[in-house]
Amino acid sequence: MHTSKSTVSKIAGAVTLGWSDSPKGRQRIRAAVSRTVRAALRLRSRPFSPGAIGTALVVAPHPDDETLGCGGTVALLARSKVRLFVAFITDGGASHPSHALYTPGMIAEIRKAEAKSAAAILGLEPDRLFFLDAKDGTLAGLHGKGKALIAARVADMILETKPDAILLPCRRDGSSEHDAAFLIVADALARAGLRPRLLEFPIWARRNPLLLLKPMLTSRIIWRHAFPQMRDLKTMAIDAYASQLRPIAPEGTPALPPDLASEFCRPEEFLFEQ
Ligand SMILES: [Zn+2]
């Protein structure tokens, strides 16, 4: 937590005559930034289609990333008869670190059940979900043997499924766990000796246009998948993650900020391909 105002918030305060200091003002700024970023992404994008993808693997550092970040694309791939697998790297148990009643183990069990429900809604087959159960919150701190162990497990999965494409959060997503997950997948691919297409989707980077700027400028292709006809399906799948969307009593705030959650309900997803 910063005690003094950042330069960015000082500038925001100056250009918005101070209303950026209120929660509503901040929300308006975020909405305006999000609109601008989406418009810029659309300009550089081309429509996504499964094309030559016969097998795809989605890598979710936490149970919910697959649905929030690319649930509409997952639903499209499932309907296009693509062999589709999802690997959940961590158990997600760290979303409520100091809850009075629920231990990380209990949260992890809830999130696993939610992941299965969301996957079923999107059209995934239950035997194509892999839960690696790494402890949530530990990926960024893994070194040496611990890091090699998880990379080897992901490599085994890649060798078993032989994906034409891997969908995963952006290499710089603004979350140390997501960034670490990308490096683990890169390590796993080197071990497996395979080079599938990498399709990166933003999760936390949606909140930070500065993080989106680099992939916006340097990606070889930005794919856009618009799915107005499947909007309800994605919203239902997101709703399956009740533990993240709604406060778990006695806590009063949800793990996922409501304005970010509603951002993911838009029927539009972008995938960056380097
Ligand atoms: Zn995550």
PDB file of all heavy atoms in Angstrom, residues 216-231:
ATOM      1  N   MET A 216       0.215  -5.091 -27.784  1.00  0.00           N
ATOM      2  CA  MET A 216      -0.547  -4.394 -28.830  1.00  0.00           C
ATOM      3  C   MET A 216       0.361  -3.992 -29.987  1.00  0.00           C
ATOM      4  O   MET A 216      -0.009  -4.044 -31.144  1.00  0.00           O
ATOM      5  CB  MET A 216      -1.208  -3.128 -28.259  1.00  0.00           C
ATOM      6  CG  MET A 216      -2.603  -3.343 -27.745  1.00  0.00           C
ATOM      7  SD  MET A 216      -3.117  -1.961 -26.739  1.00  0.00           S
ATOM      8  CE  MET A 216      -3.799  -0.894 -27.941  1.00  0.00           C
ATOM      9  N   LEU A 217       1.582  -3.575 -29.633  1.00  0.00           N
ATOM     10  CA  LEU A 217       2.493  -3.069 -30.659  1.00  0.00           C
ATOM     11  C   LEU A 217       3.344  -4.165 -31.285  1.00  0.00           C
ATOM     12  O   LEU A 217       3.745  -4.060 -32.436  1.00  0.00           O
ATOM     13  CB  LEU A 217       3.411  -1.996 -30.053  1.00  0.00           C
ATOM     14  CG  LEU A 217       2.705  -0.740 -29.539  1.00  0.00           C
ATOM     15  CD1 LEU A 217       3.691   0.179 -28.832  1.00  0.00           C
ATOM     16  CD2 LEU A 217       2.026   0.001 -30.692  1.00  0.00           C
ATOM     17  N   THR A 218       3.649  -5.214 -30.501  1.00  0.00           N
ATOM     18  CA  THR A 218       4.645  -6.176 -30.993  1.00  0.00           C
ATOM     19  C   THR A 218       4.063  -7.508 -31.445  1.00  0.00           C
ATOM     20  O   THR A 218       4.771  -8.286 -32.080  1.00  0.00           O
ATOM     21  CB  THR A 218       5.711  -6.459 -29.912  1.00  0.00           C
ATOM     22  OG1 THR A 218       5.035  -7.028 -28.774  1.00  0.00           O
ATOM     23  CG2 THR A 218       6.435  -5.206 -29.498  1.00  0.00           C
ATOM     24  N   SER A 219       2.798  -7.800 -31.116  1.00  0.00           N
ATOM     25  CA  SER A 219       2.253  -9.102 -31.519  1.00  0.00           C
ATOM     26  C   SER A 219       2.173  -9.180 -33.039  1.00  0.00           C
ATOM     27  O   SER A 219       1.829  -8.205 -33.703  1.00  0.00           O
ATOM     28  CB  SER A 219       0.842  -9.295 -30.951  1.00  0.00           C
ATOM     29  OG  SER A 219       0.906  -9.374 -29.559  1.00  0.00           O
ATOM     30  N   ARG A 220       2.480 -10.360 -33.543  1.00  0.00           N
ATOM     31  CA  ARG A 220       2.387 -10.569 -34.989  1.00  0.00           C
ATOM     32  C   ARG A 220       0.917 -10.472 -35.401  1.00  0.00           C
ATOM     33  O   ARG A 220       0.576  -9.837 -36.388  1.00  0.00           O
ATOM     34  CB  ARG A 220       2.967 -11.946 -35.315  1.00  0.00           C
ATOM     35  CG  ARG A 220       3.321 -12.198 -36.749  1.00  0.00           C
ATOM     36  CD  ARG A 220       4.192 -13.446 -36.846  1.00  0.00           C
ATOM     37  NE  ARG A 220       3.671 -14.579 -36.112  1.00  0.00           N
ATOM     38  CZ  ARG A 220       2.739 -15.413 -36.571  1.00  0.00           C
ATOM     39  NH1 ARG A 220       2.231 -15.245 -37.762  1.00  0.00           N
ATOM     40  NH2 ARG A 220       2.325 -16.423 -35.833  1.00  0.00           N
ATOM     41  N   ILE A 221       0.068 -11.104 -34.602  1.00  0.00           N
ATOM     42  CA  ILE A 221      -1.372 -11.061 -34.883  1.00  0.00           C
ATOM     43  C   ILE A 221      -2.124 -10.826 -33.568  1.00  0.00           C
ATOM     44  O   ILE A 221      -1.780 -11.405 -32.533  1.00  0.00           O
ATOM     45  CB  ILE A 221      -1.877 -12.403 -35.477  1.00  0.00           C
ATOM     46  CG1 ILE A 221      -1.047 -12.803 -36.700  1.00  0.00           C
ATOM     47  CG2 ILE A 221      -3.363 -12.329 -35.832  1.00  0.00           C
ATOM     48  CD1 ILE A 221      -1.345 -14.191 -37.226  1.00  0.00           C
ATOM     49  N   ILE A 222      -3.138  -9.967 -33.633  1.00  0.00           N
ATOM     50  CA  ILE A 222      -4.075  -9.861 -32.508  1.00  0.00           C
ATOM     51  C   ILE A 222      -5.391 -10.441 -33.005  1.00  0.00           C
ATOM     52  O   ILE A 222      -5.969  -9.939 -33.983  1.00  0.00           O
ATOM     53  CB  ILE A 222      -4.263  -8.400 -32.054  1.00  0.00           C
ATOM     54  CG1 ILE A 222      -2.931  -7.816 -31.575  1.00  0.00           C
ATOM     55  CG2 ILE A 222      -5.304  -8.321 -30.936  1.00  0.00           C
ATOM     56  CD1 ILE A 222      -2.992  -6.332 -31.247  1.00  0.00           C
ATOM     57  N   TRP A 223      -5.811 -11.524 -32.374  1.00  0.00           N
ATOM     58  CA  TRP A 223      -7.071 -12.150 -32.765  1.00  0.00           C
ATOM     59  C   TRP A 223      -8.194 -11.580 -31.918  1.00  0.00           C
ATOM     60  O   TRP A 223      -8.025 -11.362 -30.723  1.00  0.00           O
ATOM     61  CB  TRP A 223      -6.998 -13.667 -32.537  1.00  0.00           C
ATOM     62  CG  TRP A 223      -5.954 -14.366 -33.338  1.00  0.00           C
ATOM     63  CD1 TRP A 223      -4.750 -14.832 -32.889  1.00  0.00           C
ATOM     64  CD2 TRP A 223      -6.012 -14.703 -34.740  1.00  0.00           C
ATOM     65  NE1 TRP A 223      -4.057 -15.432 -33.916  1.00  0.00           N
ATOM     66  CE2 TRP A 223      -4.801 -15.363 -35.049  1.00  0.00           C
ATOM     67  CE3 TRP A 223      -6.960 -14.502 -35.740  1.00  0.00           C
ATOM     68  CZ2 TRP A 223      -4.523 -15.831 -36.340  1.00  0.00           C
ATOM     69  CZ3 TRP A 223      -6.686 -14.972 -37.011  1.00  0.00           C
ATOM     70  CH2 TRP A 223      -5.480 -15.628 -37.304  1.00  0.00           C
ATOM     71  N   ARG A 224      -9.328 -11.382 -32.560  1.00  0.00           N
ATOM     72  CA  ARG A 224     -10.515 -10.924 -31.825  1.00  0.00           C
ATOM     73  C   ARG A 224     -11.624 -11.951 -32.011  1.00  0.00           C
ATOM     74  O   ARG A 224     -11.940 -12.343 -33.141  1.00  0.00           O
ATOM     75  CB  ARG A 224     -10.983  -9.568 -32.361  1.00  0.00           C
ATOM     76  CG  ARG A 224     -12.286  -9.100 -31.749  1.00  0.00           C
ATOM     77  CD  ARG A 224     -12.627  -7.696 -32.240  1.00  0.00           C
ATOM     78  NE  ARG A 224     -13.867  -7.229 -31.651  1.00  0.00           N
ATOM     79  CZ  ARG A 224     -15.030  -7.155 -32.297  1.00  0.00           C
ATOM     80  NH1 ARG A 224     -15.110  -7.503 -33.578  1.00  0.00           N
ATOM     81  NH2 ARG A 224     -16.111  -6.724 -31.691  1.00  0.00           N
ATOM     82  N   HIS A 225     -12.151 -12.403 -30.903  1.00  0.00           N
ATOM     83  CA  HIS A 225     -13.290 -13.318 -30.977  1.00  0.00           C
ATOM     84  C   HIS A 225     -14.503 -12.616 -30.366  1.00  0.00           C
ATOM     85  O   HIS A 225     -14.536 -12.362 -29.161  1.00  0.00           O
ATOM     86  CB  HIS A 225     -12.987 -14.627 -30.220  1.00  0.00           C
ATOM     87  CG  HIS A 225     -14.144 -15.566 -30.210  1.00  0.00           C
ATOM     88  ND1 HIS A 225     -14.452 -16.365 -29.120  1.00  0.00           N
ATOM     89  CD2 HIS A 225     -15.077 -15.828 -31.159  1.00  0.00           C
ATOM     90  CE1 HIS A 225     -15.520 -17.073 -29.411  1.00  0.00           C
ATOM     91  NE2 HIS A 225     -15.923 -16.761 -30.634  1.00  0.00           N
ATOM     92  N   ALA A 226     -15.456 -12.263 -31.202  1.00  0.00           N
ATOM     93  CA  ALA A 226     -16.701 -11.640 -30.725  1.00  0.00           C
ATOM     94  C   ALA A 226     -17.778 -12.716 -30.741  1.00  0.00           C
ATOM     95  O   ALA A 226     -17.890 -13.470 -31.704  1.00  0.00           O
ATOM     96  CB  ALA A 226     -17.091 -10.486 -31.636  1.00  0.00           C
ATOM     97  N   PHE A 227     -18.544 -12.811 -29.643  1.00  0.00           N
ATOM     98  CA  PHE A 227     -19.505 -13.918 -29.562  1.00  0.00           C
ATOM     99  C   PHE A 227     -20.818 -13.485 -28.907  1.00  0.00           C
ATOM    100  O   PHE A 227     -21.215 -14.051 -27.883  1.00  0.00           O
ATOM    101  CB  PHE A 227     -18.899 -15.113 -28.800  1.00  0.00           C
ATOM    102  CG  PHE A 227     -18.196 -14.727 -27.511  1.00  0.00           C
ATOM    103  CD1 PHE A 227     -18.842 -14.796 -26.297  1.00  0.00           C
ATOM    104  CD2 PHE A 227     -16.882 -14.286 -27.532  1.00  0.00           C
ATOM    105  CE1 PHE A 227     -18.207 -14.446 -25.113  1.00  0.00           C
ATOM    106  CE2 PHE A 227     -16.233 -13.932 -26.346  1.00  0.00           C
ATOM    107  CZ  PHE A 227     -16.899 -14.013 -25.146  1.00  0.00           C
ATOM    108  N   PRO A 228     -21.483 -12.483 -29.524  1.00  0.00           N
ATOM    109  CA  PRO A 228     -22.730 -12.010 -28.909  1.00  0.00           C
ATOM    110  C   PRO A 228     -23.742 -13.133 -28.670  1.00  0.00           C
ATOM    111  O   PRO A 228     -24.475 -13.108 -27.682  1.00  0.00           O
ATOM    112  CB  PRO A 228     -23.262 -10.989 -29.932  1.00  0.00           C
ATOM    113  CG  PRO A 228     -22.478 -11.196 -31.180  1.00  0.00           C
ATOM    114  CD  PRO A 228     -21.171 -11.797 -30.780  1.00  0.00           C
ATOM    115  N   GLN A 229     -23.719 -14.142 -29.568  1.00  0.00           N
ATOM    116  CA  GLN A 229     -24.695 -15.229 -29.425  1.00  0.00           C
ATOM    117  C   GLN A 229     -24.343 -16.169 -28.265  1.00  0.00           C
ATOM    118  O   GLN A 229     -25.191 -16.959 -27.842  1.00  0.00           O
ATOM    119  CB  GLN A 229     -24.825 -16.008 -30.751  1.00  0.00           C
ATOM    120  CG  GLN A 229     -23.652 -16.895 -31.126  1.00  0.00           C
ATOM    121  CD  GLN A 229     -22.390 -16.131 -31.558  1.00  0.00           C
ATOM    122  OE1 GLN A 229     -22.336 -14.899 -31.575  1.00  0.00           O
ATOM    123  NE2 GLN A 229     -21.352 -16.857 -31.882  1.00  0.00           N
ATOM    124  N   MET A 230     -23.117 -16.103 -27.757  1.00  0.00           N
ATOM    125  CA  MET A 230     -22.734 -16.990 -26.639  1.00  0.00           C
ATOM    126  C   MET A 230     -22.448 -16.204 -25.363  1.00  0.00           C
ATOM    127  O   MET A 230     -21.872 -16.718 -24.426  1.00  0.00           O
ATOM    128  CB  MET A 230     -21.502 -17.821 -27.032  1.00  0.00           C
ATOM    129  CG  MET A 230     -21.799 -18.901 -28.049  1.00  0.00           C
ATOM    130  SD  MET A 230     -20.535 -20.169 -28.137  1.00  0.00           S
ATOM    131  CE  MET A 230     -19.127 -19.262 -28.738  1.00  0.00           C
ATOM    132  N   ARG A 231     -22.894 -14.956 -25.350  1.00  0.00           N
ATOM    133  CA  ARG A 231     -22.616 -14.112 -24.195  1.00  0.00           C
ATOM    134  C   ARG A 231     -23.173 -14.723 -22.898  1.00  0.00           C
ATOM    135  O   ARG A 231     -22.488 -14.782 -21.875  1.00  0.00           O
ATOM    136  CB  ARG A 231     -23.253 -12.734 -24.409  1.00  0.00           C
ATOM    137  CG  ARG A 231     -23.001 -11.821 -23.255  1.00  0.00           C
ATOM    138  CD  ARG A 231     -23.750 -10.498 -23.373  1.00  0.00           C
ATOM    139  NE  ARG A 231     -23.179  -9.563 -22.425  1.00  0.00           N
ATOM    140  CZ  ARG A 231     -22.908  -8.312 -22.679  1.00  0.00           C
ATOM    141  NH1 ARG A 231     -23.162  -7.793 -23.836  1.00  0.00           N
ATOM    142  NH2 ARG A 231     -22.370  -7.549 -21.759  1.00  0.00           N
TER     143      ARG A 231
END
